[in-house]
Amino acid sequence: MSAEVAGPAAAPAPLPDRAPPGPSPLFRLPKLPSWWRPWGVIVLDALIAVGCAAFDAQFRSTFAEGELHSALPQGWASWLTVVAALTLVLRRRFPVVVAAVITGGLLLGAGSVLATGVAYYSLARHTPRLRTVFIAAPTGLLLVLGVAALHLRQYAPHHGTSVGQEPVLFVLAGLLAVVLPLLSGLYPRTPRQPWWWQSRSAMLFDSLLVLLFPLANPVPLVSGLNNQNDDALLVPVPVLLVLVMVQGLGLLWRRRYPDTLAAVAVLLIPLVTPSFSILPVSLYALAKYGASRRNLLIGSGAAAMLLIGWAVYATRSQTEALVPFSIFLVVPSVVVPVLFGMYRGAKRSLMVSLQDRADRLEREQHLLASQARLEERTRIAREMHDVVSHRVSLMVVHAGALEAGAGGTEVSADTGRLIGDMGRQALNELRQVLGVLRVDEGDQRVPLSPQPTPDDLATLVEESRAAGMQVAFDVIGEPSAADSTVQPTLYRVIQEGLTNAHKHAGKAPARVEVRYQKDAVRVIVENEAPDGPVTSLLPSGGHGLVGLGERVTVLGGTFEAGALENGGFRITATVPLR
């Protein structure tokens, strides 16, 4: 018995948070600063530094003595070039210092060409404050342009550089050494979705497509139009080159403005030869990204008609080649891109809809899980209230009688024994409720208690009588086997009614009636008005009656609770039998 009172058997000692230290290894790698981890970053920076040093030293050695500006002898300048490039191993921790060292080396005559670009990329990428980048970048650009001017003044007398080449060299020096590396270093700080592209890979693909779009059209392999002279073209060759460059740049906007790009490509069919036309790519983009099928039908139909007209013009001296040449123009330039674009567009729409559906289902699942947790918390709180409230209330009542010393030593002993029994019962019932919250551990699982029976109802009434309350208990009818599922609810109704009577009516007379009917069970718990103020000082949370109403309603019954005209209180619950 004492083991039950003390609670469950002592659990084994918990495992320590960390495993005990093992034997020290014979060789342990040195601990590195946090900014230089992991080891792969160290290897990468070392390879970059060594590669830049080797390239810059080889580049510096290609110039003879006196061809480049240098404040140091040729040997010293070569060594300074290598040392400046090797400082790139610290480019992540000290990007500003590394950029300053390499730029200062340029002023002294070191030929750190590749290392300069890497240093300014690291300056933009690893400097925490953008204000520092915006101050250091213009300064470095001016210094690099100044060094380029000094080198050009030293180099021009030996090789005779023309005046028109000098601005081009200055622009290339500034772009390759400072501007492009800075832009590349600042770009990762922008959002992951750049501009209108869905990802950076899509942006890179469109950028490469601008350079390679002539190869996307296989018509030159069939028609042989690459060997046309100027008479076969409707516009001069320079104008044709400008049109090709403009429409090629338009491919950057093929995902955002597919309708406009397709219209431009169709309108340029008479002026641009099919070998340099963006028509296939634009129609593919229109079929995949366009929102209107009518625009796709109009654009593809107009393109097919213009291509046939272009084929008639190109084969005016060879009539028999018109049909095959028209097929070779229309099929790869219109039919295939449109069909493939429609397929990819349908697949893209399906993936988007599936992703939206998955996101919606995930949100609904989280909402259902939150609702289930809330309902489970409410149920557990109700169970704990029903289990603890009645037992503890009786214990408080008996403790008050024991404190007053009523009835002498024998009554005090009986009261103390009752308090102990009720405390043990409360602990056991509390363990059973909390057992559902524990992980199933096999044999250590808390056993479930049997469901209350009609005899337990009488025991519940006797406990209140032992606390000094006059309780009349009437049972009308005979319980049947069908009412076993409603016995826990009846037990809780009587328990809560008697608990409220102890709290608010003290030792005022109470009555409990259980009426077994043919298809339902009705319980009435009422108490009379107290004779005076109640001094038990039992706390009340106000949730017991709400929980009882939920219990009875779930079973399809009715629940009523309210004050009587004589100052008493009545609880009535009717639960149907299944």
Side-chain angles (χ1 to χ4, degrees):
M1 187 64 178
S2 58
E4 294 181 1
V5 176
L15 295 176
D17 295 338
R18 296 184 180 180
S24 59
L26 298 178
F27 175 75
R28 178 176 297 175
L29 295 175
K31 186 177 181 180
L32 298 175
S34 59
W35 50 269
W36 226 19
R37 299 174 184 172
W39 284 94
V41 176
I42 306 174
V43 176
L44 177 62
D45 290 345
L47 291 177
I48 291 175
V50 173
C52 291
F55 176 83
D56 291 339
Q58 182 66 27
F59 180 79
R60 186 70 175 77
S61 64
T62 56
F63 296 92
E65 184 77 23
E67 290 185 352
L68 296 179
H69 167 76
S70 178
L72 301 174
Q74 179 76 6
W76 286 86
S78 299
W79 280 106
L80 180 60
T81 300
V82 175
V83 173
L86 290 178
T87 59
L88 291 175
V89 295
L90 303 175
R91 66 187 184 93
R92 300 177 187 269
R93 180 60 173 172
F94 307 105
V96 179
V97 176
V98 171
V101 169
I102 292 180
T103 306
L106 291 177
L107 294 174
L108 295 177
S112 303
V113 180
L114 185 60
T116 304
V118 177
Y120 281 96
Y121 168 81
S122 303
L123 175 67
R125 182 68 179 89
H126 300 293
T127 303
R129 295 184 179 180
L130 289 178
R131 182 177 60 182
T132 305
V133 178
F134 292 148
I135 295 175
T139 305
L141 179 61
L142 292 177
L143 292 176
V144 169
L145 293 179
V147 172
L150 294 176
H151 285 310
L152 188 61
R153 179 180 298 179
Q154 192 81 12
Y155 182 81
H158 295 83
H159 299 277
T161 305
S162 63
V163 179
Q165 294 177 347
E166 292 183 358
V168 177
L169 294 177
F170 276 113
V171 171
L172 288 178
L175 287 176
L176 297 178
V178 180
V179 177
L180 293 180
L182 281 172
L183 294 178
S184 301
L186 290 174
Y187 177 74
R189 297 187 179 185
T190 59
R192 186 172 181 83
Q193 182 175 351
W195 295 297
W196 56 88
W197 285 284
Q198 295 180 350
S199 61
R200 295 176 184 174
S201 60
M203 184 186 68
L204 179 61
F205 179 81
D206 289 349
S207 302
L208 294 177
L209 192 61
V210 171
L211 303 176
L212 303 177
F213 79 91
L215 301 180
N217 196 340
V219 174
L221 301 178
V222 181
S223 63
L225 295 178
N226 284 338
N227 296 325
Q228 286 185 356
N229 52 22
D230 293 348
D231 298 335
L233 302 175
L234 298 179
V235 294
V237 174
V239 178
L240 175 63
L241 294 179
V242 172
L243 293 176
V244 170
M245 293 177 60
V246 171
Q247 70 171 0
L249 290 176
L251 290 176
L252 292 174
W253 288 271
R254 70 184 186 93
R255 301 173 190 265
R256 190 173 188 182
Y257 305 109
D259 301 87
T260 304
L261 185 63
V264 172
V266 172
L267 293 176
L268 291 179
I269 289 177
L271 304 179
V272 181
T273 58
S275 57
F276 297 107
S277 176
I278 62 169
L279 182 64
V281 182
S282 62
L283 290 180
Y284 168 80
L286 179 61
K288 182 178 180 180
Y289 303 106
S292 175
R293 292 300 180 187
R294 183 182 61 182
N295 293 345
L296 176 62
L297 181 61
I298 295 174
S300 57
M305 293 178 61
L306 289 176
L307 284 177
I308 293 175
W310 200 93
V312 171
Y313 173 78
T315 59
R316 56 187 180 276
S317 59
Q318 299 177 355
T319 309
E320 66 278 1
L322 174 61
V323 175
F325 187 65
S326 300
I327 294 175
F328 280 112
L329 281 178
V330 174
V331 171
S333 298
V334 178
V335 178
V336 174
V338 169
L339 293 179
F340 189 58
M342 292 176 64
Y343 165 73
R344 294 290 297 176
K347 184 177 180 180
R348 176 171 172 267
S349 301
L350 178 62
M351 295 301 296
V352 170
S353 62
L354 291 178
Q355 183 65 35
D356 292 341
R357 182 179 179 183
D359 294 340
R360 184 172 64 254
L361 291 177
E362 185 176 0
R363 289 193 299 269
E364 292 177 355
Q365 184 177 5
H366 286 309
L367 292 176
L368 291 176
S370 300
Q371 183 178 1
R373 285 195 297 267
L374 180 60
E375 293 177 354
E376 187 64 17
R377 291 195 195 102
T378 304
R379 189 188 67 82
I380 293 174
R382 184 173 62 242
E383 290 287 342
M384 294 189 63
H385 174 272
D386 294 341
V387 166
V388 177
S389 177
H390 178 73
R391 303 295 181 186
V392 175
S393 298
L394 293 179
M395 290 171 61
V396 172
V397 172
H398 285 293
L402 185 62
E403 182 179 2
T409 307
E410 184 178 357
V411 175
S412 299
D414 294 339
T415 305
R417 184 171 61 256
L418 285 174
I419 293 176
D421 293 339
M422 293 178 185
R424 283 188 288 271
Q425 291 177 8
L427 285 175
N428 290 331
E429 292 180 356
L430 184 61
R431 285 177 55 199
Q432 292 164 4
V433 173
L434 297 180
V436 299
L437 302 179
R438 297 191 179 97
V439 180
D440 188 3
E441 299 177 354
D443 296 338
Q444 297 182 4
R445 182 176 55 184
V446 177
L448 298 178
S449 61
Q451 298 296 327
T453 63
D455 295 335
D456 294 326
L457 303 181
T459 304
L460 193 61
V461 172
E462 290 297 330
E463 292 176 353
S464 296
R465 289 173 178 173
M469 177 183 290
Q470 299 178 7
V471 183
F473 181 50
D474 298 326
V475 178
I476 302 174
E478 291 294 334
S480 61
D483 64 348
S484 59
T485 58
V486 302
Q487 284 296 332
T489 302
L490 302 180
Y491 186 87
R492 296 304 183 195
V493 170
I494 298 175
Q495 188 181 60
E496 181 65 23
L498 294 177
T499 301
N500 288 337
H502 284 292
K503 288 181 180 180
H504 305 291
K507 296 183 179 181
R511 183 175 71 89
V512 177
E513 178 182 316
V514 180
R515 184 182 296 272
Y516 294 99
Q517 301 174 355
K518 181 178 180 181
D519 55 354
V521 180
R522 187 179 184 184
V523 177
I524 299 176
V525 182
E526 64 179 13
N527 60 271
E528 299 179 2
D531 297 335
V534 181
T535 59
S536 59
L537 300 179
L538 292 171
S540 177
H543 301 287
L545 296 179
V546 176
L548 284 181
E550 294 176 356
R551 284 178 177 272
V552 176
T553 304
V554 168
L555 296 177
T558 59
F559 179 80
E560 297 178 0
L564 300 176
E565 295 181 356
N566 59 0
F569 196 84
R570 175 185 293 174
I571 296 176
T572 304
T574 303
V575 182
L577 298 177
R578 297 181 181 179

